[in-house]
Amino acid sequence: NIEVDGKLTKDSFEGSLLVDDEHIALDFNGLVDFGQTLPRFRFTAAIQKAHLYELNLERSDETQIICSTISVDGIGSNVDNFNGTIVARDLSYYVKGKDYFFDSIHVVSTLDSASHALSVYSNFIDLSIDGSFSMQELPDAFHALASEILPSVFEPSDDLFLIEEDFSFFVDIKDLSFITSLFLKDLQVAPNTQLNGLYETGRQDLSLNINSDWIKYKDYRLNDIHLETDKFSNLYEFAVVAKRFDINDSVHMDNLRLITALFSDNVRAGLSWQADDSSNSGDINWDGYWLARDQFQLSLNTSTINIGEEVWNIYDKAE
């Protein structure tokens, strides 16, 4: 059932459009104009139901239904040249008998001749990207970065031609519980976990900082975590510091520090900890080499573990 009330031309439509059948219930009101260099959108679309599987929008699960009221006001043909705002209100996603409610998501994209700013605001995550970047290029850019660090795992491709990008980013995780329950049930992330950094594709230089009160995966939990990265020539260093690492209910490590260096399939790492009551500490070092995507060699180097008054020294390499 389709009902149209408005002005329709070769390149534009302004008015209302009602669509109602077993797979979609849509109430559209506004303007879509393709007669300009870049399309112009100014409309509100109330989606009472949309069966994603039956509409061939998402084919992974037959039960998927999405509902929302979407308002668009802007100009552009894709995510990289869009200038304006997109708001999805009362967004809910139903799958496998469970309904996930995302409340509202606001997207603001602004463009000028020198830079692009993209911001997303929601009740579960806020993020912003500012500088010179292409969202369509980012997956290739990160693949190129990963292939420089671990070429045996992420095979380099001569077909990748990257536009030079230089941008900053910021992510504030407010409440990720229903996202992780949907995609990764064993992972929990503390509210107000923050990520920020810089990325320059020309030099493949990534600077990343993460701060979180805690991150938990199954029985493992890291408390008061800070992660940062540095690049030295073609070597990338990842440093993770945590006040406490809970391995299970009875075993934990205090003042944990893990430093990992990656370069051209080579891995070097050092793990150290020091109990607050000085009852135990350790300094373990290893290095390794990736031979293929599913094959690597790891060598334990000279290391020390202190438990009470006992000192355990590992002198010989183990592989």
Side-chain angles (χ1 to χ4, degrees):
N1 298 315
I2 300 175
E3 182 179 331
V4 181
D5 182 11
K7 181 181 178 181
L8 178 64
T9 69
K10 177 182 178 182
D11 298 316
S12 69
F13 172 74
E14 184 171 12
S16 64
L17 170 66
L18 296 175
V19 181
D20 187 12
D21 69 12
E22 60 181 322
H23 302 313
I24 184 169
L26 169 68
D27 184 355
F28 172 96
N29 194 340
L31 167 71
V32 176
D33 185 358
F34 291 95
Q36 307 179 47
T37 303
L38 290 176
R40 176 78 168 99
F41 302 93
R42 190 180 65 249
F43 66 83
T44 297
I47 306 171
Q48 280 80 36
K49 66 175 179 180
H51 291 261
L52 303 184
Y53 187 89
E54 299 295 340
L55 294 170
N56 293 311
L57 297 175
E58 171 55 54
R59 303 288 292 180
S60 61
D61 191 282
E62 296 184 12
T63 65
Q64 297 174 102
I65 300 174
I66 193 167
C67 303
S68 182
T69 298
I70 300 175
S71 299
V72 180
D73 188 358
I75 299 173
S77 59
N78 58 58
V79 68
D80 290 317
N81 64 23
F82 183 78
N83 196 344
T85 61
I86 301 173
V87 181
R89 294 183 175 85
D90 300 324
L91 176 62
S92 67
Y93 175 63
Y94 177 87
V95 63
K96 295 181 179 178
K98 190 170 183 180
D99 196 12
Y100 299 88
F101 184 64
F102 292 81
D103 199 3
S104 297
I105 300 175
H106 295 245
V107 180
V108 180
S109 178
T110 57
L111 293 168
D112 58 37
S113 58
S115 65
H116 183 191
L118 178 66
S119 300
V120 178
Y121 307 100
S122 70
N123 65 337
F124 58 94
I125 191 171
D126 289 347
L127 67 88
S128 62
I129 307 175
D130 192 359
S132 172
F133 65 93
S134 166
M135 295 297 293
Q136 298 180 85
E137 289 269 347
L138 282 183
D140 287 343
F142 283 113
H143 181 89
L145 173 64
S147 64
E148 183 174 311
I149 299 173
L150 296 172
S152 291
V153 179
F154 302 94
E155 186 176 349
S157 175
D158 295 332
D159 296 333
L160 292 181
F161 178 75
L162 300 178
I163 300 173
E164 285 205 12
E165 301 175 340
D166 186 359
F167 61 89
S168 61
F169 57 90
F170 175 79
V171 180
D172 181 15
I173 297 174
K174 300 176 180 179
D175 181 5
L176 214 59
S177 58
F178 57 91
I179 299 293
T180 54
S181 66
L182 181 60
F183 298 105
L184 194 58
K185 295 181 179 179
D186 294 322
L187 177 66
Q188 300 178 44
V189 180
N192 301 317
T193 294
Q194 295 185 343
L195 299 79
N196 65 83
L198 304 166
Y199 186 30
E200 184 181 346
T201 60
R203 297 189 300 141
Q204 287 297 342
D205 191 0
L206 172 66
S207 173
L208 173 65
N209 292 277
I210 300 176
N211 291 285
S212 179
D213 289 339
W214 52 265
I215 296 176
K216 183 178 181 182
Y217 181 72
K218 294 186 176 180
D219 292 331
Y220 304 104
R221 176 175 169 134
L222 286 165
N223 296 286
D224 293 333
I225 312 154
H226 174 70
L227 178 147
E228 63 182 39
T229 65
D230 281 305
K231 183 183 180 184
F232 308 94
S233 185
N234 65 336
L235 182 148
Y236 286 85
E237 183 178 273
F238 298 81
V240 180
V241 178
K243 179 62 178 175
R244 174 169 168 145
F245 175 38
D246 293 318
I247 299 174
N248 53 44
D249 291 339
S250 58
V251 180
H252 70 270
M253 305 164 95
D254 296 328
N255 305 304
L256 185 79
R257 184 175 181 83
L258 172 64
I259 298 179
T260 304
L262 301 170
F263 56 99
S264 300
D265 283 335
N266 292 275
V267 182
R268 291 179 183 172
L271 174 67
S272 62
W273 72 93
Q274 173 72 53
D276 289 335
D277 59 5
S278 300
S279 60
N280 64 84
S281 63
D283 187 8
I284 300 176
N285 300 282
W286 64 91
D287 56 49
Y289 187 79
W290 251 270
L291 303 171
R293 179 182 291 270
D294 58 353
Q295 185 179 9
F296 64 91
Q297 180 178 342
L298 191 66
S299 298
L300 181 66
N301 300 323
T302 301
S303 303
T304 302
I305 300 175
N306 301 286
I307 302 177
E309 297 181 356
E310 301 279 346
V311 179
W312 299 43
N313 289 303
I314 302 171
Y315 296 114
D316 295 328
K317 280 192 173 186
E319 293 188 351

